[in-house]
Amino acid sequence: MPDVPARPAPRVLLIPPDTRPPTLDLPVSLGRMTGAEMTVPPREALPDFFTPGDPAVLRDWLLDQAAQADALVVCLETLCLGGMIPARRVSDPLEAALERLRVLQEVHARHPGLRIYAFGVVVRVAHDNDPHEEKPYYGEWGTALRAYSTAFDRQARHGAAEQEALDAARAAVPAEILVDWVGTRERNRALHLEALHLLHRGVLTHLCVTLDDTSEYGLAAYDRRLLEARADELGVWDRFDTYPGADEVPCALLTRALRQGLPPARAWVRYSGKLGEAAGMIYEDRPAGELVRAHLRAAGCVPAETPAEADFILAVNTPGRRQANVQPDLATVDTPDRHLPAFVDAVLDDLRRGRAVSVADIAYPNGAERRLWALLDRVALADLAGFSAWNTAGNTLGSAVAFGALAGLVQDRAEQVGAVFARVVDDVLYQSFVRREVRDALVNPSPFDLGEQRGTAEALLAAQLSPRAADVWERHFARTGLTLEWGTPHLAWPRLFTGVFPLGVSLAGPAAAAPPKG
């Protein structure tokens, strides 16, 4: 990897979609590992689960901080509607959202040198009947609303042949619920279209509008086509991206902000199977190869012609044919279409050659593949430039691309090691092992709200995760000479899906702060 000339440390403001570790702590760590000064709003101004943040406080904070900053990475939903999840639930009128958006024009007028990287998320059509991340009525009417979403888009694309199915789907949902649900989508779409005009006028440096939990047919795909048509009219494709993703976008846009003025980072993509580019995804509307291309572009990266000329290797573990939710899956994931031992051999060879390697494991959503994890025991994980295996394939890829593209800018080795270890703890130890064990130990837990079982779940989480973390640190990271300080794991929200794993990695620290081994 070519040396990057020393540059003054940039100051970056971050307004995240919420306060979960992958959406807040991860981009902050990625920035700090390059020497950037990362500044975030006060915690009380940010959303907490479905409780909105405070757009008025965010406005004042932004106006106060902008004069000293070089770049702003901002979630439009947080700035204008209180957060990514609240934006699906609150009834704030469009006029209020657009008025809050105008602060970006004000900031740009006062500080034209500030680069503004903004992102929004097309309202998802949730796969689960979640009454907390969606409108409360989604718990009862989610299935019918999904059917309407699919029927609407099919009719929009294929015309009269789909009209009868659309009429039936519309009749299956109470009119007042359908009007409210569709109205929320239309409000948010109007916000995104206005953001495109800010991009066109030069207020925004780059804009991403991504699709969360999308599919081939649905209202999200319909919204995407409207955004693409407006981008065509405005001629802004050189500064605009729309693709499947959500929580990881702060990492992608932070990468653009930190690499400003440098040549695009070149990535050599190495798949676990020769046909990996064609592998199907569960929560995205396109195959793995096209998803990788989209995430590279969003982060300002380009494909490399050879591994030798690449700035980093993006090592992508794809399913043999298509993702599946339950491990092991011998029908579509663990098939003869890929060969994991050879994939790990290639990663080891890249590391021996001194290449920066960032691993993206997208074989299964919501955690690392357990078989790959066993094979990676041969790899000194502390030598990886990055690792990611969380939530959707898009979440994983965007994070792994950022790790790789920023590897050549690292100034704080402890921060980088801490970021990689944090992803291993979350994506592997928790998501692929401990979360299932905790769930099995509870009494019929709801996936949406643990209620009174939250305390029990957090006690089990801490007891089962901490010794595993200590073991992985000892085997893979202790040789760095860095010290791990370990806090008490707990849940981000009253559900098992997202954990919080307080840890710090430093040049020196008390050994007693390491996670207990049992």
Side-chain angles (χ1 to χ4, degrees):
M1 178 183 298
D3 292 330
V4 176
R7 301 187 299 168
R11 182 168 186 246
V12 181
L13 308 179
L14 170 65
I15 299 179
D18 53 51
T19 57
R20 289 171 295 158
T23 55
L24 178 57
D25 297 348
L26 176 57
V28 167
S29 287
L30 290 172
R32 287 176 177 168
M33 78 182 189
T34 71
E37 181 183 346
M38 300 296 297
T39 304
V40 300
R43 193 90 174 185
E44 59 271 18
L46 296 174
D48 180 24
F49 197 12
F50 55 76
T51 301
D54 191 331
V57 174
L58 290 174
R59 170 190 166 82
D60 292 343
W61 175 85
L62 181 54
L63 291 171
D64 179 63
Q65 296 288 326
Q68 294 80 38
D70 300 294
L72 164 66
V73 176
V74 54
C75 175
L76 296 175
E77 280 74 16
T78 305
L79 182 69
C80 301
L81 292 164
M84 185 173 66
I85 291 174
R88 307 171 196 152
R89 295 170 52 94
V90 298
S91 58
D92 300 26
L94 173 62
E95 293 73 19
L98 294 180
E99 178 60 32
R100 294 162 184 163
L101 181 65
R102 291 190 184 99
V103 71
L104 297 183
Q105 293 176 262
E106 186 174 349
V107 166
H108 176 69
R110 293 187 187 183
H111 312 289
L114 178 71
R115 292 174 279 116
I116 303 176
Y117 302 85
F119 65 100
V121 183
V122 171
V123 178
R124 71 177 188 176
V125 180
H127 290 236
D128 297 319
N129 297 345
D130 188 336
H132 299 303
E133 289 199 38
E134 314 300 323
K135 298 268 185 159
Y137 53 67
Y138 205 86
E140 179 178 357
W141 295 101
T143 300
L145 290 169
R146 285 193 295 275
Y148 172 82
S149 171
T150 300
F152 181 93
D153 191 33
R154 292 189 68 91
Q155 194 278 335
R157 294 197 216 182
H158 306 307
E162 300 291 338
Q163 187 62 50
E164 184 177 350
L166 175 58
D167 291 342
R170 182 182 288 114
V173 184
E176 66 276 11
I177 288 178
L178 189 59
V179 167
D180 180 77
W181 190 64
V182 171
T184 299
R185 303 190 62 88
E186 291 174 344
R187 179 200 61 194
N188 289 23
R189 182 204 305 147
L191 175 66
H192 298 149
L193 290 171
E194 181 60 25
L196 271 172
H197 284 273
L198 294 185
L199 181 69
H200 177 62
R201 297 202 296 270
V203 173
L204 305 182
T205 304
H206 200 91
L207 173 66
C208 291
V209 181
T210 58
L211 297 90
D212 186 17
D213 291 2
T214 191
S215 56
E216 181 181 1
Y217 285 97
L219 287 170
Y222 178 79
D223 285 346
R224 172 180 53 78
R225 296 197 301 277
L226 294 180
L227 289 163
E228 289 171 341
R230 186 63 57 85
D232 290 339
E233 295 171 2
L234 297 175
V236 293
W237 279 106
D238 59 327
R239 293 170 289 134
F240 175 61
D241 287 287
T242 182
Y243 59 97
D247 302 339
E248 80 297 330
V249 184
C251 298
L253 289 179
L254 177 67
T255 301
R256 278 187 172 271
L258 295 178
R259 292 191 60 88
Q260 171 69 20
L262 298 174
R266 296 165 297 177
W268 176 261
V269 184
R270 191 181 299 288
Y271 294 96
S272 57
K274 292 293 186 182
L275 304 178
E277 290 180 295
M281 304 289 102
I282 292 178
Y283 298 107
E284 285 86 8
D285 62 358
R286 61 201 68 189
E290 290 304 316
L291 192 63
V292 168
R293 280 160 50 92
H295 281 271
L296 287 173
R297 185 180 194 268
C301 302
V302 296
E305 295 295 326
T306 66
E309 72 170 23
D311 295 299
F312 70 101
I313 307 297
L314 183 65
V316 186
N317 177 31
T318 49
R321 298 173 188 170
R322 182 173 176 79
Q323 282 185 324
N325 278 311
V326 180
Q327 302 189 43
D329 185 283
L330 305 181
T332 65
V333 178
D334 196 10
T335 73
D337 301 271
R338 62 178 191 157
H339 192 51
L340 281 182
F343 175 64
V344 174
D345 288 346
V347 168
L348 283 166
D349 184 62
D350 286 327
L351 291 173
R352 291 189 192 104
R353 293 172 184 267
R355 297 168 182 162
V357 180
S358 186
V359 174
D361 182 358
I362 61 172
Y364 296 88
N366 304 323
E369 181 178 6
R370 292 192 289 270
R371 171 169 284 178
L372 176 65
W373 173 242
L375 292 170
L376 285 175
D377 197 54
R378 300 165 53 203
V379 176
L381 298 179
D383 291 342
L384 292 176
F387 179 89
S388 185
W390 65 283
N391 213 344
T392 67
N395 295 154
T396 287
L397 287 168
S399 305
V401 167
F403 268 117
L406 296 174
L409 305 182
V410 170
Q411 297 183 26
D412 188 334
R413 172 67 172 148
E415 191 75 45
Q416 181 194 33
V417 168
V420 173
F421 181 66
R423 295 266 48 88
V424 169
V425 169
D426 191 346
D427 305 356
V428 181
L429 302 184
Y430 181 62
Q431 298 294 344
S432 295
F433 294 95
V434 171
R435 181 161 69 102
R436 181 183 59 177
E437 295 168 6
V438 172
R439 184 181 62 241
D440 290 347
L442 299 177
V443 180
N444 193 28
S446 165
F448 308 126
D449 189 345
L450 290 172
E452 295 180 354
Q453 294 195 83
R454 179 173 182 170
T456 301
E458 291 186 323
L460 290 167
L461 161 60
Q464 297 187 33
L465 186 74
S466 295
R468 286 177 163 102
D471 179 64
V472 171
W473 177 266
E474 187 64 31
R475 288 188 295 113
H476 287 278
F477 294 88
R479 67 176 182 80
T480 61
L482 300 169
T483 297
L484 173 66
E485 299 179 41
W486 183 258
T488 302
H490 57 277
L491 298 173
W493 297 335
R495 52 178 59 187
L496 291 175
F497 195 70
T498 305
V500 178
F501 311 101
L503 61 90
V505 174
S506 59
L507 292 175
K517 295 185 178 182

